[in-house]
């Protein structure tokens, strides 16, 4: 019995033991190492770092191992760890134009300075199960041929458009404006774009994907073009007060997506393309693109559009994007609720009694009337 | 760019958490929210709720409040559904035993802090005690108006017409107010408040309670409070006054009347038994020699259990 009677403590202890056993599985099969997970399941690791809101491949690999591959559970482990870490401050904005690029594509230009760099992508692979991979035990991975990179730099597509004034400026804020942080201050509405982007960056990939998809099917259309998607390493800098200059803390891998969307202009502003922005840890392009599309949708007010669709509803989107919150509240229905259920039982029984009583009386009086006639 | 990722190395052996898990800065932030809540009874104070090592919806608000007010000398009672031994109560008690090392108890009178989900102990609480509620949805108007921007405005303007219309429609449709738990109250004549999903049976207990009441909603990032001896009125109408659930029979084990009872199904032939939801209250009465009509039933041994499991204290 799971509740109400004595013994909950023993039951929980044993459940934990059983879980540990199931997690490990058949002990004749070697255990996963963190290196294996970090190296070979890098998309999982990236997702857990992003939604767990903590860039650390080792801990993400550990979380995935501990969570038996449940990525939301793994992200939760990361979040719960992250919350205990001391805060020293906020980094300088990362410069994605200076990214050490591994992949960079633009759907809006055939060619552009720095070129199209496909990099590692599933995009053009045929989704045929690779049975050779099942038997693979090692290292026979052919090296890719690489062309020498011309050192011409790789300007962002939005900067190229911006030079011509064809796209709205990226932000009117100066870099010095304080950024919001929803992990330190409770989110309140209406939320500004910095907080919205933070919320989306931590948000559930599936939720954002569905919302972005809905805008493509007419629920708040934004006419997006994938202006640019780039993935690679950027430096993270921290301004140290004592030194008076910024020092590099290290590098992180990120995917950035700049969506270029239509905008008819207004009485105040000439017609120009508008932006939707996505930035996530690791190579998680699906999420970066979805984030950019949802970001653009949420900007309806400043761009003078009509709010007609779920993806435009700031309070709805931001309140439900966090899968750690969502899974907690949905799954809490597993907790005992029998006290409240008892209260409902009592009321339903009473209402049913009254319903039957009323019907009995109606039928009774009906019959008498008939008899009298 | 390529090559093996430089994985950070960790000393996984070490690592200790602060007393009661939260760091002192966070506790201070939460205490400020609590003080504000006490100063404005029934008002929902936004606070920067932290991610806790248990899931949202499983008591993170209550746990953060308790962690922030807990001292080394405190004695903690942790209940869920009125019982100390429900799974999540066991789990949360274990959390504080582990991270704070405080004394815990099953006895209501021994506790300095009672953290609860869905019930208030039957035994009246004293001035030197604090009760902490775990709250899922702090906003009493949420199911009438889903938008936070709107409900905050309604509270600010004391615009509670919508709630009264809802209660009226209940009566018009069902002949009853169809709210049996999380029954809305008005605190100190000003804010309409959700007393958390306790059955309305417990509403009279929060009116002029001697103990301080603190309510924590972690996922929704709200804290609210009712200071001792504050007037708390359950919403009703003159011709449909508020009333609590009444049970037709006493507790099957200890014979207590006018307490909240759980219905336990004994078999698939309609056999059932009603027992105190407050398991400590029931045990204490039985220890004093009270017996209920079903105390001799074989089922009672199973349900009532033996002596409580002693936890590491």
């Amino acid at each position: 019995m799971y509740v109400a009677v004595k013994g909950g403590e023993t039951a929980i202890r044993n459940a934990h033991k059983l879980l540990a056993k199931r997690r490990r599985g058949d002990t004749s099969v070697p255990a996963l190492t963190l290196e294996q997970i970090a190296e070979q399941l890098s998309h999982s690791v990236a997702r857990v770092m992003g939604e767990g809101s903590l860039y650390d491949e080792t801990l993400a690999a550990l979380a995935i191992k501990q969570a038996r591959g449940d990525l939301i559970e793994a992200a939760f482990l990361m979040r719960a760890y992250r919350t205990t870490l001391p805060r020293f401050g906020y980094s300088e904005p990362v410069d994605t134009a200076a990214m050490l690029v591994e992949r960079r594509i633009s759907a809006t230009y055939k060619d552009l300075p720095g070129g199209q760099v496909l990099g590692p992508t599933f995009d053009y692979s045929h989704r045929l199960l690779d049975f050779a991979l099942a038997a693979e035990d090692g290292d026979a991975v052919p090296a890719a041929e690489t062309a020498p990179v011309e050192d011409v730099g790789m300007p962002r597509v939005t900067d190229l458009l911006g030079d011509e004034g064809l796209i709205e400026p990226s932000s009117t804020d100066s870099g010095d404006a304080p950024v919001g942080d929803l992990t330190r201050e409770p989110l309140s509405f209406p939320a500004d774009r910095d907080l919205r982007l933070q919320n989306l960056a931590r948000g559930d990939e599936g939720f954002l994907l569905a919302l972005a998809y809905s805008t493509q099917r007419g629920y708040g259309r934004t006419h997006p073009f994938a202006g640019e998607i780039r993935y690679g390493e950027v430096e993270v800098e921290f301004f140290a007060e004592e030194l008076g200059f910024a020092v590099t803390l290290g590098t992180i891998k990120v995917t950035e997506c700049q969506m270029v969307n239509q905008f008819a202009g207004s009485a105040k502003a000439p017609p120009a393309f508008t932006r939707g922005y996505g930035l996530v840890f690791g190579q998680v392009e699906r999420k970066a693109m979805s984030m950019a599309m949802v970001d653009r949708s949420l900007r309806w007010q400043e761009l003078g559009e009509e709010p007609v669709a779920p993806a435009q509803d700031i309070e709805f989107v931001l309140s439900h994007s966090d899968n750690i919150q969502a899974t907690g509240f949905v799954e809490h229905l597993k907790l005992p609720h029998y006290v409240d259920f008892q209260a409902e039982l009592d009321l339903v029984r009473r209402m049913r009694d009254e319903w039957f009583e009323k019907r009995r009386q109606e039928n009774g009086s009906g019959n008498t009337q008939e008899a009298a006639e | 760019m390529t090559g093996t990722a430089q994985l950070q190395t960790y000393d996984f052996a070490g690592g200790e958490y602060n007393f009661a898990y939260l760091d002192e800065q966070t506790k201070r932030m939460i205490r400020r929210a609590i003080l504000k809540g006490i100063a404005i009874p029934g008002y929902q104070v936004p606070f920067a709720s932290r991610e806790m090592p248990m899931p949202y919806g499983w008591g993170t608000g209550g746990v953060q409040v308790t962690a922030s007010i807990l001292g080394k000398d405190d004695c903690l009672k942790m209940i869920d559904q009125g019982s100390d031994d429900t799974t999540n109560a066991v789990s949360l008690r274990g959390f504080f035993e582990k991270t704070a090392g405080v004394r815990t108890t099953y006895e209501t009178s021994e506790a300095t802090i009672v953290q609860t989900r869905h019930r208030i102990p039957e035994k009246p609480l004293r001035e030197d005690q604090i009760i902490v509620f775990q709250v899922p949805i702090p906003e009493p108007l949420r199911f009438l108006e889903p938008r936070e921007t709107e409900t905050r405005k309604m509270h600010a303007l004391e615009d509670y017409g919508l709630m009264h219309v809802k209660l009226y429609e209940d009566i018009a449709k069902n002949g009853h107010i169809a709210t049996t738990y999380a029954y809305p109250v008005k605190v100190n004549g000003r804010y309409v408040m959700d007393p958390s999903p306790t059955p309305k049976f417990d509403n009279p207990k929060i009116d002029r309670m001697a103990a301080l009441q603190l309510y924590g909603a972690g996922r929704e990032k709200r804290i609210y409070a009712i200071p001792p001896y504050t007037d708390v009125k359950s919403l009703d109408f003159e011709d449909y006054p508020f009333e609590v659930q009444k049970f037709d029979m006493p507790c099957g084990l200890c014979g207590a009347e006018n307490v909240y009872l759980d219905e336990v199904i004994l078999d698939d032939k309609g056999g059932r038994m009603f027992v105190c939801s407050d398991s400590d209250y029931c045990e204490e009465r039985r220890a004093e020699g009270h017996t209920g009509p079903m105390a001799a039933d074989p089922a009672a041994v199973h349900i009532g259990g033996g002596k409580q499991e002693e936890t590491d204290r």
Side-chain angles (χ1 to χ4, degrees):
Chain A
M1 204 160 183
Y2 119 95
V3 81
V5 295
K6 302 294 168 193
E9 215 148 328
T10 325
I12 290 178
R13 232 180 355 248
N14 281 323
H16 287 165
K17 281 185 198 156
L18 189 57
L19 175 67
K21 193 175 154 69
R22 290 278 185 272
R23 186 201 63 70
R24 178 58 182 85
D26 184 348
T27 48
S28 67
V29 177
L32 282 170
T33 66
L34 302 192
E35 287 76 14
Q36 285 171 342
I37 295 170
E39 283 296 315
Q40 298 173 43
L41 298 177
S42 56
H43 286 303
S44 298
V45 168
R47 183 173 177 192
V48 168
M49 293 196 301
E51 291 169 22
S53 215
L54 178 66
Y55 194 94
D56 189 312
E57 288 166 315
T58 313
L59 293 181
L62 173 62
I64 291 168
K65 182 174 176 174
Q66 186 178 333
R68 308 174 70 190
D70 179 337
L71 299 188
I72 293 181
E73 177 68 20
F76 179 21
L77 288 167
M78 292 288 271
R79 289 262 191 103
Y81 177 74
R82 173 195 198 271
T83 192
T84 65
L85 300 175
R87 294 295 177 94
F88 299 115
Y90 296 90
S91 76
E92 296 293 297
V94 295
D95 182 7
T96 52
M99 178 188 283
L100 189 54
V101 165
E102 187 166 346
R103 170 166 160 79
R104 185 268 199 127
I105 52 162
S106 169
T108 52
Y109 292 100
K110 183 176 167 67
D111 197 10
L112 67 170
Q116 307 260 16
V117 182
L118 271 189
T121 176
F122 292 123
D123 286 353
Y124 303 100
S125 64
H126 296 142
R127 270 55 166 210
L128 303 170
L129 279 174
D130 180 2
F131 296 109
L133 196 60
E136 183 196 62
D137 53 354
D139 6 319
V141 184
E145 286 172 33
T146 51
V149 180
E150 289 171 61
D151 193 16
V152 291
M154 219 178 248
R156 287 179 292 229
V157 166
T158 44
D159 293 344
L160 300 173
L161 279 169
D163 291 344
E164 252 188 283
L166 288 176
I167 193 164
E168 57 169 340
S170 80
S171 170
T172 46
D173 289 341
S174 70
D176 301 333
V179 280
D181 183 350
L182 56 81
T183 68
R184 297 283 120 171
E185 289 292 325
L187 192 59
S188 63
F189 298 105
D192 287 341
R193 195 167 172 216
D194 53 347
L195 286 168
R196 300 202 302 254
L197 287 169
Q198 184 189 15
N199 177 285
L200 297 178
R202 290 157 54 94
D204 181 70
E205 180 175 318
F207 180 72
L208 297 190
L209 174 67
L211 284 174
Y213 179 44
S214 73
T215 67
Q216 288 182 292
R217 292 194 64 263
Y219 289 86
R221 193 167 177 208
T222 61
H223 310 272
F225 291 98
E228 179 173 342
I229 296 164
R230 54 170 67 199
Y231 161 67
E233 253 177 30
V234 290
E235 284 191 339
V236 179
E237 291 186 324
F238 182 77
F239 185 83
E241 290 290 347
E242 303 89 324
L243 300 174
F245 55 84
V247 292
T248 302
L249 297 179
T251 60
I252 60 173
K253 288 184 180 178
V254 295
T255 305
E256 181 186 56
C257 174
Q258 301 251 18
M259 285 287 173
V260 176
N261 303 264
Q262 275 187 11
F263 179 37
S266 66
K268 278 185 234 156
F273 290 111
T274 56
R275 293 164 186 262
Y277 188 74
L279 183 76
V280 297
F281 289 154
Q283 192 181 3
V284 188
E285 288 171 28
R286 184 187 300 127
K287 163 98 177 263
M289 295 176 76
S290 303
M291 175 177 170
M293 289 162 74
V294 175
D295 168 48
R296 174 59 184 78
S297 286
L298 294 178
R299 298 180 60 210
W300 61 272
Q301 200 158 23
E302 57 172 308
L303 298 173
E305 296 163 347
E306 286 294 311
V308 292
Q312 294 171 299
D313 188 327
I314 294 178
E315 191 168 340
F316 176 78
V317 172
L318 301 193
S319 300
H320 303 111
S321 61
D322 191 301
N323 55 22
I324 313 297
Q325 290 175 9
T327 199
F329 202 46
V330 167
E331 294 197 51
H332 107 284
L333 293 174
K334 292 184 279 191
L335 290 178
H337 281 78
Y338 56 82
V339 161
D340 291 345
F341 188 69
Q342 186 64 51
E344 297 279 66
L345 264 182
D346 176 65
L347 180 64
V348 171
R349 280 185 183 135
R350 226 159 10 118
M351 285 169 65
R352 283 172 60 86
D353 286 348
E354 285 165 8
W355 188 85
F356 283 114
E357 174 64 17
K358 197 173 158 202
R359 218 169 61 143
R360 202 180 53 78
Q361 277 176 3
E362 277 169 9
N363 287 348
S365 60
N367 291 342
T368 348
Q369 206 174 11
E370 245 172 39
E373 279 166 2
Chain B
M1 241 6 281
T2 50
T4 308
Q6 290 296 303
L7 289 192
Q8 195 163 346
T9 49
Y10 279 92
D11 172 18
F12 287 111
E16 227 178 66
Y17 291 107
N18 192 34
F19 176 78
Y21 183 77
L22 293 175
D23 60 277
E24 294 304 316
Q25 284 301 318
T26 298
K27 287 185 191 172
R28 222 166 71 160
M29 174 272 293
I30 294 173
R31 285 183 203 131
R32 282 198 193 116
I34 292 172
L35 289 173
K36 184 168 179 181
I38 293 171
I40 319 172
Y43 170 76
Q44 300 167 53
V45 185
F47 81 111
S49 176
R50 296 294 190 250
E51 263 127 358
M52 299 300 284
M54 59 286 295
Y56 286 116
W58 299 55
T60 55
V63 168
Q64 288 181 76
V65 168
T66 299
S68 303
I69 60 171
L70 197 65
K72 287 199 160 65
D73 300 333
D74 273 310
C75 179
L76 182 64
K77 175 181 167 76
M78 185 72 74
I79 50 174
D80 185 344
Q81 312 293 299
S83 166
D84 302 88
D85 206 37
T86 39
T87 40
N88 205 42
V90 170
S91 166
L92 296 184
R93 185 185 314 111
F95 175 75
F96 282 112
E97 281 168 352
K98 191 167 161 185
T99 59
V102 292
R103 217 153 50 83
T104 60
T105 182
Y106 283 21
E107 279 170 45
T108 303
S109 52
E110 198 192 348
T112 55
I113 298 172
V114 179
Q115 184 177 323
T116 180
R117 175 169 171 265
H118 292 192
R119 271 316 308 277
I120 298 172
E122 304 292 358
K123 190 180 277 181
L125 297 173
R126 303 180 310 261
E127 282 179 8
D128 60 343
Q129 294 177 304
I130 298 176
I131 182 164
V132 177
F133 295 81
Q134 299 168 205
V135 182
I137 304 272
E139 179 50 73
L141 306 169
R142 180 60 68 239
F143 299 107
L144 307 172
E145 168 53 62
R147 283 176 196 283
E148 183 69 13
T149 35
E150 289 302 314
T151 51
R152 283 192 81 79
K153 219 178 292 168
M154 289 159 76
H155 283 295
L157 300 173
E158 209 176 338
D159 175 7
Y160 296 127
L162 205 55
M163 180 62 90
H164 285 104
V165 170
K166 191 259 170 197
L167 298 178
Y168 168 76
E169 282 181 350
D170 269 7
I171 293 171
K173 243 188 269 171
N174 312 317
H176 297 277
I177 292 177
T179 303
T180 55
Y181 58 89
Y183 190 101
V185 295
K186 196 163 202 180
V187 181
N188 204 26
R190 175 58 178 85
Y191 283 97
V192 165
M193 188 197 94
D194 183 334
S196 88
T198 50
K200 67 179 180 176
F201 180 90
D202 284 338
N203 274 22
K205 293 182 187 148
I206 62 179
D207 181 28
R208 303 195 60 77
M209 185 191 276
L212 170 64
Q213 303 170 55
L214 301 176
Y215 295 77
R219 192 178 40 78
E220 299 279 340
K221 302 176 171 52
R222 296 288 185 273
I223 283 172
Y224 49 101
I226 303 178
Y229 302 113
T230 303
D231 288 326
V232 179
K233 191 178 175 335
S234 301
L235 300 185
D236 63 357
F237 298 100
E238 276 173 24
D239 48 346
Y240 277 86
F242 172 80
E243 50 184 29
V244 299
Q245 292 104 328
K246 285 196 182 68
F247 293 87
D248 302 334
M249 68 279 296
C251 168
L253 296 176
C254 76
E257 290 178 21
N258 301 318
V259 295
Y260 198 78
L261 302 178
D262 294 332
E263 181 173 338
V264 181
I265 311 278
L266 299 178
D267 52 41
D268 57 1
K269 297 174 189 68
R272 64 196 66 218
M273 160 172 193
F274 287 83
V275 296
C276 285
S277 144
D278 184 339
S279 55
D280 172 60
Y281 182 78
C282 194
E283 250 162 51
E284 196 176 296
R285 278 180 54 88
R286 276 180 285 149
E288 287 165 1
H290 297 278
T291 47
M294 291 185 76
D297 193 284
V301 181
H302 184 55
I303 291 160
K307 280 308 290 172
Q308 71 183 48
E309 257 184 81
E310 286 294 319
T311 54
D312 299 327
R313 308 236 167 125

